[in-house]
């Protein structure tokens, strides 16, 4: 158990998923911040400096790739590891997000919440 | 030789030359023959006249007097014969002519006796002037009657003719009038009136009149012969002069032509003479062409030139240009044109390919003149307008007579003088239409021969050009077809590529939309399996299960929408003759019933103002219409926030939701309104609302998952029923969807 709670930021537009992953991560002892809009997510990332960001690609009228780019361009957020968590399973998107600096590309439907938690833990332990 | 002897010889020689020219030109022509008879008489008279004048004793003078009268006796009747032939009445008046010949033959018999020329005696300066017998007085009166009558005939012909013929006749008429006055001057002294026949020499004026008419106005069509004779005489004169010049020089310088020096000089002179002769020949031809016969041409050269040109050309337009220009220049014409057959039209039309100088406003109605084309196809020879009168006179068939007459009128109207057939393997492929010559001259036989030859060549060239063009057109068409098909294939390929792109896009979106609820269901289930759920409060556990259930419903809905949309994608739905008549109220009733629960869950008042009177039936597929109305009514309920937080309805507000469905009949259309007081649709998004995978931003905010296909499906179904769907909306106030469907009688 980490002495200090790891802080995760989840940028996702679907409230059902927010409900699901928030419940899971909080059960696992994480501090779980959420944002339904990319622009809110960027602001929270700067202010709260999370240890890791889970980013969806399909947001309401926003492109998750664009948010990733901005996170990696901003000096205050570029060190924060980003995992793309999406259901848009396009190969070129996975490659592009890695190029932009995402540490992983996870297709939600292919994994369980537990899988995601362990992937997050692994990334954090490598830090 | 006295003046009178000379005048006789002069008349004799000029008459002889003219007679020979006229006779040799056309030995069978009635006019030519009749004129030769006349010329023989005049010649006979004038030769005898000469011998009378040079006689030394009374006996021979009397003999020659009687001999000359033998010629003179037949002058009036041969004159009549000639004029009748000229005005084409010789056949009609053949009896009259025969009687006349007989009459003057009787006078000839009397000429053998003293009844005609009684004796000769000195009179004025003449030692042997004839004295008349009793028959002579009768003869002289007949002579005057016949000459005057015949001249009158000629005068009438002059009066009644026009154009070229009038000019021809004019000079012949004047020639004869003066000639006969001159000739008759001989008879004055017979009656002891002391006026000597000074005028006799003017007897040959008729020769001049004839000659002028021949040369200037192509009288009897013998200009060419006249030209040849002119050149021939010139050559003869040159040879004659040269011979005597050389002989004179030889005699002066060498004494004889038969010595060695003469032989040597002769070797030089002979080629020099040939050279000079050759040069003279050219000069005289040029002179003849230039001053006497301006429109003459070199027959062979013209044909060769055109042949060479036609051989090089394959372009139809250029060939026609070349033909028209060559003919127009060679013949010195005012107008020339070519009409070509258009086989694509039935009956075949002859259309203008090129005209020069023709007045288009006169309308070249020869185009549709079947008689002409039939005639040319049959006769295959040039048709001369001036000859049409002759045809009209000579044909016995009434329709031919009319045809020729109409043709003459048409040709006169468009100012055409000649129609030449253009033949290709004896089929008429066109007509060359020519106007008058600039000079006003008529077409000679030689012209017609040349034109016939040219038109044969032109026909072949045009035919070749047309074949070539056909081949070109064919290859052009082929190329076009290939291009078209290539384009078609390209279009199909583009379309396929577009379809593939659409398919891959569809798959991307579809898989995303399917995965979103799936991932939630899977996540919740995995947590249940892993025991996570048991570590949560009861309330939350219930929420989890509810969420999984709703997501599974959504999943089903999305699968359904995807399938329906892809069904419409592959084949647009449209009502047809097999589509049944249904009551739209029944469809709506059913949807209201099944939606009532969802509405009450969210405390939304769902009302259906069913019309009191039954609506007219429509042609419709209930299954599809239920789908469409259920989409619209579900949307209205879904995007109208609830006043309380129920399971699925997250957004809450104070105002209670209302969804109203109503219908009305407007002109043969049933209009159904689905009205809510929900979140509304942003104005800028209404335009693309009915497109595939399109959701309004505020709808996505409210529910992130949704197929984005619902309204696309509605539109496909309603338009498939020949109806329309449109929307009015105000953000945060509400939305009204309108569906208009035609009543059954409206559709076939």
């Amino acid at each position: 158990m980490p002495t200090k709670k790891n802080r995760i930021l989840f940028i996702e537009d679907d409230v059902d998923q927010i409900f699901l992953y928030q419940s899971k991560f909080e059960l696992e002892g994480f501090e779980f911040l959420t944002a339904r809009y990319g622009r809110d997510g960027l602001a929270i990332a700067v202010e709260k400096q999370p240890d890791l960001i889970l980013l969806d690609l399909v947001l309401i009228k926003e492109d998750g790739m664009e948010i990733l780019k901005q996170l990696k361009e901003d000096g205050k957020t570029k060190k924060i590891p980003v995992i793309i968590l999406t259901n848009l399973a396009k190969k070129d998107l996975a490659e592009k997000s890695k190029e932009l600096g995402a540490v992983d590309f996870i297709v939600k439907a292919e994994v369980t919440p537990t899988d995601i938690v362990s992937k997050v833990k692994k990334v954090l332990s490598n830090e | 030789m006295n003046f009178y002897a000379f005048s006789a010889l002069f008349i004799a020689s000029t008459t002889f030359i003219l007679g020979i020219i006229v006779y040799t030109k056309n030995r069978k022509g009635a006019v030519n023959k009749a004129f030769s008879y006349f010329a023989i008489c005049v010649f006979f008279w004038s030769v005898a006249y000469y011998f009378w004048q040079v006689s030394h004793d009374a006996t021979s003078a009397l003999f020659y007097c009687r001999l000359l009268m033998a010629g003179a006796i037949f002058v009036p009747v041969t004159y009549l014969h000639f004029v009748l032939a000229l005005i084409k009445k010789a056949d009609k008046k053949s009896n009259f002519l025969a009687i006349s010949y007989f009459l003057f033959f009787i006078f000839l018999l009397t000429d053998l006796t003293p009844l005609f020329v009684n004796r000769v005696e000195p009179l004025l300066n003449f030692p042997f002037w004839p004295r008349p017998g009793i028959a002579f007085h009768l003869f002289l009166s007949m002579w005057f009657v016949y000459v005057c009558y015949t001249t009158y005939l000629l005068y009438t012909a002059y009066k009644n003719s026009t154009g070229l013929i009038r000019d021809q006749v004019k000079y012949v008429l004047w020639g004869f009038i003066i000639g006969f006055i001159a000739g008759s001057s001989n008879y004055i002294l017979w009656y002891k009136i002391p006026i000597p026949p000074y005028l006799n020499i003017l007897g040959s004026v008729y020769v001049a009149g004839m000659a002028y008419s021949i040369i200037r106005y192509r009288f009897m069509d013998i200009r060419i012969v006249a030209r040849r004779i002119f050149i021939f005489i010139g050559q003869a004169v040159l040879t004659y002069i040269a011979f005597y010049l050389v002989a004179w020089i030889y005699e002066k310088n060498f004494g004889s032509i038969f010595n060695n020096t003469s032989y040597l000089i002769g070797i030089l002179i002979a080629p020099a003479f040939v050279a000079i002769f050759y040069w003279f020949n050219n000069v005289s031809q040029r002179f003849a062409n230039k001053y006497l016969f301006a429109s003459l041409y070199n027959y062979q050269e013209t044909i060769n030139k055109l042949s060479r040109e036609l051989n090089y050309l394959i372009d139809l337009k250029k060939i026609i240009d070349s033909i028209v220009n060559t003919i127009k220049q060679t013949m010195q014409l005012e107008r020339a044109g070519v009409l070509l057959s258009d086989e694509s039209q039935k009956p075949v039309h002859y259309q203008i390919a090129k005209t020069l100088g023709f007045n288009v406003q006169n309308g070249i109605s020869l185009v549709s003149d079947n008689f002409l084309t039939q005639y040319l196809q049959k006769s295959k020879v040039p048709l001369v307008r001036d000859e049409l009168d002759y045809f009209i006179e000579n044909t016995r068939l009434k329709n031919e007579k009319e045809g020729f007459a109409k043709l003459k009128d048409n040709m006169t109207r468009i100012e055409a003088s000649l129609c030449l057939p253009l033949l290709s393997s004896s089929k008429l492929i066109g007509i060359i239409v020519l106007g008058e010559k600039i000079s006003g001259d008529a077409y000679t036989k030689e012209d017609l021969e040349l034109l016939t030859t040219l038109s044969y060549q032109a026909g072949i060239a045009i035919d070749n050009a047309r074949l070539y063009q056909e081949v070109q057109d064919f290859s052009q068409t082929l190329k076009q077809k290939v291009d078209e098909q290539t384009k078609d294939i390209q279009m199909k390929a583009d379309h396929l590529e577009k379809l593939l792109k659409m398919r891959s896009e569809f798959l991307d979106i579809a898989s995303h939309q399917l995965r979103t609820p799936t991932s939630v269901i899977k996540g919740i289930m995995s947590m249940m399996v892993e025991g996570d759920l048991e570590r949560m409060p009861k309330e939350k556990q219930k929420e989890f299960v509810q969420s999984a259930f709703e997501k599974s419903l959504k999943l089903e809905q999305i699968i359904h929408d995807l399938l329906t949309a892809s069904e419409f994608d592959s084949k647009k739905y449209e009502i047809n003759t097999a589509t049944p008549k249904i009551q739209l109220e029944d469809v709506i009733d059913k949807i209201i019933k099944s939606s009532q629960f969802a509405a009450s869950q969210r405390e939304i008042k769902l009302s259906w103002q069913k019309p009191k009177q039954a609506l007219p039936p429509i042609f419709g597929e209930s299954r599809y219409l239920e789908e469409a109305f259920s989409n619209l009514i579900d949307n209205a309920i879904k995007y109208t926030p609830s006043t309380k937080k129920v399971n699925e309805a997250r957004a809450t507000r104070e105002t209670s939701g209302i969804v109203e469905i109503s219908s009305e009949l407007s002109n043969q259309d049933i209009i159904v309104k689905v009205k809510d007081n929900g979140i509304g649709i942003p104005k800028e998004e209404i335009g693309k609302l009915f497109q595939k995978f399109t959701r309004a931003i505020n709808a996505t905010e409210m529910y992130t998952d949704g197929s984005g296909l619902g309204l696309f499906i509605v539109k496909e179904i309603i338009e498939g029923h020949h109806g329309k769907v449109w929307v009015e909306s105000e953000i945060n106030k509400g939305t009204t969807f309108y569906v208009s469907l035609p009543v059954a009688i409206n559709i076939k």
Side-chain angles (χ1 to χ4, degrees), chain B residues 84 89-102:
Chain B
L84 284 177
K89 283 186 177 162
D91 290 343
K92 240 180 183 172
K93 303 214 169 186
S94 59
N95 289 340
F96 172 60
L97 197 59
I99 292 167
S100 303
Y101 268 110
F102 182 71

Side-chain angles (χ1 to χ4, degrees), chain B residues 263-275:
Chain B
Y263 292 145
L264 279 174
I265 300 286
I267 290 170
L268 296 176
I269 289 172
F273 175 74
V274 172

Side-chain angles (χ1 to χ4, degrees), chain B residues 134-326:
Chain B
I134 185 108
F136 180 80
H137 308 299
L138 205 57
F139 161 74
L140 196 59
S141 26
M142 290 308 291
W143 190 94
F144 270 105
V145 168
Y146 267 82
V147 167
C148 288
Y149 172 68
T150 309
T151 307
Y152 167 74
L153 286 181
L154 198 57
Y155 174 75
T156 317
Y158 162 72
K159 269 282 175 201
N160 293 340
S161 62
T162 52
L164 186 70
I165 311 274
R166 191 182 167 96
D167 285 328
Q168 287 178 350
V169 175
K170 186 164 93 182
Y171 290 98
V172 174
L173 175 66
W174 278 109
F176 276 109
I177 289 173
I178 294 169
F180 275 108
I181 289 172
S184 64
S185 70
N186 283 301
Y187 296 124
I188 298 169
L189 209 53
W190 285 59
Y191 294 94
K192 290 196 169 173
I193 299 161
I195 301 169
Y198 294 131
L199 292 175
N200 189 46
I201 193 161
L202 294 180
S204 54
V205 163
Y206 87 92
V207 176
M210 293 269 292
Y212 188 75
S213 182
I214 286 165
I215 290 168
R216 182 73 183 85
Y217 296 107
R218 200 196 59 85
F219 182 49
M220 289 194 285
D221 198 7
I222 53 181
R223 261 190 341 178
I224 312 284
V225 182
R227 181 180 77 142
R228 282 198 200 119
I229 283 166
F230 171 83
I231 293 165
F232 177 79
I233 289 172
Q235 288 167 345
V237 167
L238 174 75
T239 315
Y240 183 84
I241 291 170
F243 175 77
Y244 278 101
L245 191 69
V246 170
W248 178 73
I249 291 167
Y250 271 76
E251 225 166 72
K252 199 107 189 176
N253 295 321
F254 316 115
S256 161
I257 53 169
F258 299 109
N259 62 44
N260 289 341
T261 324
S262 302
Y263 292 145
L264 279 174
I265 300 286
I267 290 170
L268 296 176
I269 289 172
F273 175 74
V274 172
I276 289 169
F277 187 86
Y278 181 75
W279 167 82
F280 177 81
N281 195 25
N282 281 343
V283 167
S284 58
Q285 273 200 11
R286 254 198 313 243
F287 178 84
N289 285 351
K290 197 168 175 186
Y291 294 103
L292 296 178
F293 322 101
S295 69
L296 282 180
Y297 39 81
N298 188 323
Y299 188 100
Q300 204 56 44
E301 199 179 292
T302 308
I303 291 176
N304 288 346
K305 188 172 157 275
L306 188 68
S307 306
R308 272 199 305 276
E309 269 186 44
L310 292 184
N311 279 342
Y312 282 116
L313 297 173
I314 40 169
D315 183 68
L316 188 59
K317 199 183 159 291
K318 282 185 184 155
I319 284 174
I320 288 163
D321 282 354
S322 174
I323 293 164
V324 170
N325 288 332
T326 304

Side-chain angles (χ1 to χ4, degrees), chain A residues 13-17 19-20 23-24 27 36-37 58 60-61 87-90 109-110 112-114, chain B residues 508 512 515-516 519-520 522-524 526-527 530 532 535-536 540 543-544 551 650 695 697 701 704:
Chain A
D13 59 340
D14 182 22
V15 284
D16 288 322
Q17 289 177 53
F19 174 64
L20 170 65
S23 306
K24 177 65 183 174
L27 268 181
R36 280 195 73 195
Y37 301 96
V58 184
I60 300 163
K61 302 290 161 194
N87 270 322
L88 204 59
K90 279 168 89 179
E110 289 171 358
T112 61
T114 313
Chain B
D508 282 343
H512 177 259
R515 270 178 173 140
T516 301
S519 64
V520 175
K522 188 177 172 183
I524 290 168
S526 74
M527 283 170 74
E530 286 161 16
D532 283 346
R535 290 153 59 196
M536 289 179 189
K540 209 163 183 181
E543 220 173 309
F544 259 76
K551 284 292 185 197
R650 299 185 188 88
R695 300 183 69 211
I697 182 164
E701 274 170 352
T704 47

